[in-house]
Each structure stands twice: as C-alpha cells, then as structure tokens.
C-alpha cells in the first residue's frame, strides 16, 4: 500500500451521547416549508434533518465543558466563573478588561452605543448583519473597505478578508479621522464566505489607523479559525501555535466584540473585551442596563464557565484541523461535481453561488432564498440565505444589491459525521441537476429590522 500523502481530518473525539433526528417525507417538507413562508429561519427544527443553518450556538460541548456547567457559581455578583472567564480571555486574547454579554450582538450594542455618534462613519471589511445594524442604530454609516476580490466568488486570493488600504485612506481623507470612531475588522469575514484576513494586512491597517489616531476594534467571533488560516497560508506562521497567532492578532486592536457561540463552543455567551479603561468603565456601567451586572452580563455562572473552558479547547490544533477539515471536505466534493461555490473554502461554511446556480433568476426573484428552499425540499437539509434578503435596505429604502448571492451550508462544530457530509453533497448535487426547472420567489412580508430572520415568501 502506498503511504497516504495527506492525512484525513478525522475527529479528535468520540461520541458519548446521541440526539435522534426525525426523517421526513417530501410531502411533509412541502407542507413545512409553505407554513414557514419559504424562509428556513421559520422552520421548526423538528422538521429539519441536517441543520446547516448556522454554526452559532449549535456546536457540541465537550465532557469537560459539561463538567464545568456543574461548577456554576450562581451568585448575583462576583461569581467565580466570571474570574475564570476573565483569566482565560486575558491569557488567550490578551486584552485587559472583560464585560460579559449574553451573545455577540450584546457586545456590539455596547460598543456602538459608547463610541459612535450620529454622523460618524465606521469602515469595515464587509458588513455583518447585526454589527452593521448596531452601528447604524447608533447613528453611524458603515463603509465597506474590503478588497475587491472578496466580492468575487471565483477569486482564489488566500486572504479575501483583507482590507484595501487605498479604500481606507480614501474614506479617512473624505470624512476626516475625527468622524471615524473606530475601524471594524472581522476575522474571519462571515459574509465573504468565512474568509481570513492576513496578519500582514491587519498590521498595516493598525499602522495606518494609528497614524490618524483612529481606534481599531476586532470582531473576534471566529478569530481562532482565522489563526488557523494564517498558520496554513502566511509565511512565517507555520511553526507558531494558534494561541500565539491569536494573541498577535488581538494585539493589533484596542478590543474586540465576541460571540462565544462560534469559536468558543458554547450554546450561549459573548463578551466585549477592552484595553482602554475609560471605554471599559462606560461599558461596565451600561451593561447593567441592557444585559445584567458586569460580572454576569446576562449569563448564568455555568455559561461563563463553559465559555472559559471553550476558549482553551478552541485553540487546540487537533480540534481546528478537524473542524476546518470537515468544511473543506464538503467544499472539495462539491467542486469536484462542478458545483459553483465560493473559493477558497472558508472556515465555518461552504457557500453556494446561487447566481451561478440559477442564471435564469433576477436578483429580486431571490436566487439564494430559492436555493435554500429547494435544498430543504430535496432532503430536509436546512441552510441559510446570504444574499439580497440578508443585505436589507439602505437609508433611502432601496434594496442593497450585494454582488454575492449565496447560500451558506454552515457546519456546527463536533456535531455531524462524514456520512452527513456525504448526504449533503448528494442533495446539493440533486438540486444542481434540476436547476433549469426552478422558478424564483416573491417576498410577501418584510419586517423592518434584519428582515432575513422573519420575511415570508411565495413561489412565483
Ligand atoms: O449571534 P451573536 O449575537 O452571538 O453574534 C453576532 C455576530 C457577530 N459577528 C459575526 C461575524 C457573526 O457571525 C455573528 C453571528 N453570526 C451568526 C448568528 C451566524 O449565523 O453567522
């Protein structure tokens, strides 16, 4: 036997407990999807077979995390689990101060409220839905400064999360540094396809913003996944640990917002981390209004403990090799079938290119929403629209028309097996083979905020 050239991504864990799934018929799925207004967010999870809606809060905790749940100190103030989380954050992310929040958008709410004034501009490497919504709610205007390659699903750029420094300089020159409270940098970039930012680029962004006295805040939600790509792709990082890379990443920022529901392997939790005492003081005060006392931020002591332990597990290389290896496995198999996906394959998800799937559909016939619906009908797999519906409307009420019209197959961490991955590939291929017969959707109900969550559609 020839020795294998590449080792498999096999999981560094075994399964101790299982959660049965309900298998459904096509007729049952037709009824469920009609009831849900062709929006996968409105399906009941009992009607879903393989749930690839999101990797947010859907990962499997380890036995060590569950054991930590039993050690929750549910004191109203000064829980020991808060101090455990604070220490784990300081050791792995390197920031001085911690404000726990119930999840990522709680931290975004605090940061935006404290730093953004009406009329301000917040440049960022592509928008994220909740992040931009909070920036706009505080009176700011988001400006996209990501490189052009990020908007091209076929570009093989290894760091499609990078900032275009020319775009950033231009916006600073246009509005002036005083109107930019901070630059908002995500690592990895979710809406671009889970694409990483390179350390070299982040360092340059830091130097540029520092020259103008502008703060830099990181969305560190998937920064450990970003560290994995830096280690694989960026010269000089192959021998560094994920922990070292993560510390360096955070070192180029003044703080971070964090959704612990992703990298940190918990079902609920987040935090705002800061280096600046003044901002911390305000956040620690404000959190009491919106989330809870500054030592629990809307979380139970046991949730704080699970997140503290999740930080340590997230930076283990065996874990990350399997986590991203699984996503790559699905991406490679889809590519081999000629199915259009965003390349390179990102950290948390494979993104299907719905425009290339359904060239017969106008963007206002919602190609990605349609593709997510067809995939559910075929096999009960639930995915998420990341196109014109997610992008929402601008301040004049017009649809944002994003270049990327995508469907996200998002992989929860440590949840599904390789056989689930194979079924997913087979089902996407079945929809691909029937693509010419598919018609689009029309929106029949549109909520005001973050419409993708609750919008309803009908078949054209
Ligand atoms: O869902 P939250 O409030 O814990 O976190 C918000 C959030 C912030 N930043 C980024 C990059 C995210 O991906 C994010 C949440 N993402 C979700 C829910 C997702 O399905 O991707």
């Amino acid at each position: 036997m020839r020795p294998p050239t590449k080792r498999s991504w096999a999981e560094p864990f075994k399964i101790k407990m299982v959660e049965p799934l309900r298998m459904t018929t096509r007729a049952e799925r037709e009824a469920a999807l009609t009831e849900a207004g062709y929006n996968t967010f409105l399906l009941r999870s009992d009607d879903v077979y393989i749930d690839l809606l999101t990797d947010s809060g859907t990962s499997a905790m380890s036995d060590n995390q569950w054991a930590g749940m039993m050690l929750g100190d549910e004191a109203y103030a000064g829980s020991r689990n808060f101090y455990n989380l604070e220490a784990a954050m300081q050791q792995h992310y390197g920031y001085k101060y911690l404000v726990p929040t119930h999840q990522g958008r709680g931290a975004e709410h605090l940061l935006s409220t404290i730093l953004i004034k009406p009329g301000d501009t917040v440049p960022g490497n592509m928008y994220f839905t909740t992040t931009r919504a909070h920036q706009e709610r505080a009176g700011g205007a988001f400006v996209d400064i990501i490189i052009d390659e990020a908007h091209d699903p076929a570009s093989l750029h290894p760091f499609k999360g990078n900032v275009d420094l020319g775009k950033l300089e231009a916006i600073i020159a246009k509005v002036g540094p005083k109107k930019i409270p901070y630059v908002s940098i995500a690592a990895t970039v979710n809406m671009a396809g889970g694409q990483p930012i390179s350390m070299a680029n982040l360092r340059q962004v830091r130097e540029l913003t520092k020259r103008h006295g502008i703060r830099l805040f990181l969305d560190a939600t998937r920064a450990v996944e970003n560290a994995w790509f830096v280690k694989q792709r960026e010269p000089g990082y192959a021998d560094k640990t994920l922990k070292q890379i993560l510390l360096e990443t955070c070192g180029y920022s003044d703080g971070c917002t964090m959704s612990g529901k992703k990298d940190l392997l918990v079902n609920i939790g987040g935090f705002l981390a800061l280096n600046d005492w003044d901002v911390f003081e305000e956040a620690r005060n404000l959190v009491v209004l919106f989330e809870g006392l500054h030592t629990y931020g809307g979380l139970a002591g046991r949730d704080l403990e699970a997140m503290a332990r999740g930080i340590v597990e997230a930076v283990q290389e065996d874990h990350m090799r399997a986590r991203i290896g699984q996503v790559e496995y699905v991406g490679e198999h889809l590519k081999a079938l000629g199915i259009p996906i965003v390349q390179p394959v990102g950290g948390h998800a494979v993104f299907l290119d719905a425009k290339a799937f359904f060239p017969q559909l106008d963007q206002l016939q919602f190609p990605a929403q349609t593709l997510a619906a067809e995939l559910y009908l075929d096999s009960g797999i639930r995915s998420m629209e990341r196109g014109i519906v997610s992008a929402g409307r601008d301040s004049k009420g017009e649809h944002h028309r994003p270049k990327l019209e995508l469907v996200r197959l998002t992989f929860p961490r440590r949840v599904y097996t390789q056989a689930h991955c194979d079924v997913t590939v087979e089902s996407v291929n079945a929809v691909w083979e029937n693509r010419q017969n598919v018609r689009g959707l029309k929106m029949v109900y549109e909520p005001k905020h973050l419409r993708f969550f609750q919008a309803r559609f009908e078949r054209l």
Side-chain angles (χ1 to χ4, degrees):
M1 198 174 91
R2 265 191 320 130
T5 48
K6 194 176 164 205
R7 295 277 171 113
S8 155
W9 53 274
E11 296 86 350
F13 56 81
K14 56 185 177 175
I15 297 166
K16 175 141 59 180
M17 194 195 282
V18 296
E19 181 181 342
L21 297 172
R22 192 167 81 87
M23 314 293 276
T24 51
T25 62
R26 175 129 191 154
E28 285 170 331
R29 294 193 292 276
E30 288 276 4
L33 193 66
T34 305
E35 170 85 25
Y38 287 83
N39 185 345
T40 53
F41 277 103
L42 300 178
L43 288 167
R44 290 170 184 241
S45 122
D46 278 345
D47 294 328
V48 172
Y49 172 37
I50 300 174
D51 202 345
L52 306 181
L53 184 72
T54 177
D55 63 334
S56 181
T58 52
S59 295
M61 292 208 295
S62 67
D63 52 358
N64 182 50
Q65 284 177 296
W66 279 108
M69 297 283 277
M70 297 304 291
L71 300 175
D73 168 7
E74 305 306 344
Y76 189 89
S79 158
R80 87 172 72 88
N81 313 111
F82 167 78
Y83 296 103
N84 291 348
L85 177 63
E86 185 186 50
M89 183 283 291
Q90 288 166 341
Q91 280 164 26
H92 292 81
Y93 290 82
Y95 302 111
K96 288 186 193 151
Y97 310 116
L98 174 80
V99 182
T101 56
H102 77 285
Q103 57 184 78
R105 68 199 73 180
E108 292 168 350
H109 179 205
L110 294 175
L111 187 70
S112 303
T113 304
I114 294 167
L115 291 182
I116 299 172
K117 291 189 292 300
D120 281 351
T121 294
V122 188
N125 55 345
M126 204 175 266
Y127 83 101
F128 183 71
T129 53
T130 59
T131 319
R132 186 179 68 188
H134 277 296
Q135 290 163 354
E136 289 175 348
R137 196 173 170 276
F142 167 83
V143 176
D144 190 7
I145 51 163
I146 205 163
I147 55 172
D148 289 341
E149 286 88 338
H151 295 280
D152 173 8
S155 161
L156 291 173
H157 194 295
F159 290 103
K160 286 166 97 171
N162 278 359
V163 168
D164 181 328
L165 296 165
K167 288 185 191 172
L168 177 55
E169 292 209 65
I171 193 71
I172 297 172
K174 185 171 166 212
V175 304
K178 292 216 161 48
K179 288 282 183 198
I180 301 179
Y182 59 94
V183 172
S184 177
I185 298 296
T188 59
V189 181
N190 191 349
M191 302 301 275
Q195 304 293 329
I197 178 169
S198 74
M199 198 70 86
N201 183 255
L202 180 61
R203 200 179 299 123
Q204 287 173 318
V205 175
R206 178 60 158 181
E207 282 161 11
L208 174 60
T209 48
K210 209 170 188 172
R211 274 207 306 281
H212 292 281
I214 300 170
R215 290 189 169 103
L216 191 159
F217 278 91
L218 199 65
D219 180 341
T221 296
R222 297 184 184 84
V224 188
E225 291 178 4
N226 199 86
W228 174 262
F229 287 116
V230 168
K231 187 175 164 82
Q232 305 307 310
R233 297 179 188 169
E234 193 160 350
Y237 288 91
D239 295 327
K240 298 217 158 121
T241 64
L242 295 181
K243 187 177 165 185
Q244 286 169 328
I245 299 171
L246 179 64
L247 274 171
E248 184 180 343
T249 306
C250 297
Y252 298 126
S253 69
D254 296 288
C256 78
T257 52
M258 179 75 198
S259 170
K261 300 170 73 173
K262 284 81 167 177
D263 266 356
L264 303 188
L265 300 156
V266 288
N267 304 122
I268 193 73
F271 57 77
L272 175 63
L274 298 157
N275 282 335
D276 183 329
W277 172 263
D278 294 336
V279 183
F280 169 61
E281 247 210 320
E282 216 172 321
R284 185 170 68 157
N285 190 218
L286 210 54
V287 75
V288 180
L289 278 181
F290 298 119
E291 309 272 323
L293 194 73
H294 60 276
T295 56
Y296 76 84
L299 297 169
R302 53 180 172 269
D303 298 326
L304 298 168
E305 187 61 33
M307 191 155 49
R309 293 176 184 221
I311 291 179
V312 179
E313 292 179 18
V315 298
Q316 303 305 314
E317 277 183 34
D318 289 345
H319 159 67
M320 201 49 83
R321 180 178 299 108
R323 190 282 183 280
I324 293 187
Q326 183 176 51
V327 179
E328 275 171 356
Y329 174 88
V330 173
E332 291 304 322
H333 280 73
L334 290 173
K335 249 181 8 195
L337 290 165
I339 293 169
I341 62 170
V342 173
Q343 299 192 57
V345 175
H348 63 306
V350 176
F351 288 72
L352 306 174
D353 182 354
K355 273 189 190 165
F357 244 84
F358 302 134
Q360 72 270 34
L361 298 187
D362 181 80
Q363 198 168 17
L364 277 176
Q365 296 172 329
F366 308 110
Q369 193 78 28
T370 304
L371 178 52
E374 291 297 326
L375 188 60
Y376 173 74
L377 287 177
D378 181 72
S379 58
I381 291 175
R382 170 154 69 173
S383 57
M384 186 192 287
E385 192 267 5
R386 293 276 83 158
I388 191 167
V389 184
S390 294
R393 291 180 186 267
D394 63 20
S395 54
K396 297 189 200 83
E398 301 292 327
H399 292 283
H400 285 293
R401 282 177 175 261
K403 286 210 184 93
L404 297 177
E405 180 70 27
L406 308 175
V407 166
R408 192 178 73 172
L409 306 172
T410 334
F411 287 81
R413 297 159 189 79
R414 313 191 288 205
V415 171
Y416 290 115
T417 64
Q418 187 161 327
H420 288 123
C421 294
D422 293 338
V423 170
T424 302
V425 171
E426 290 160 15
S427 179
V428 173
N429 194 39
V431 177
W432 173 243
E433 289 189 337
N434 186 46
R435 65 193 179 278
Q436 268 119 358
N437 302 321
V438 170
R439 277 172 299 147
L441 297 168
K442 65 174 177 199
M443 201 189 300
V444 294
Y445 167 67
E446 180 178 356
K448 202 163 133 218
H449 301 291
L450 300 178
R451 63 182 183 181
F452 57 95
F453 284 128
Q454 288 141 349
R456 299 184 70 84
F457 301 82
E458 279 170 12
R459 269 194 201 285
L460 281 174

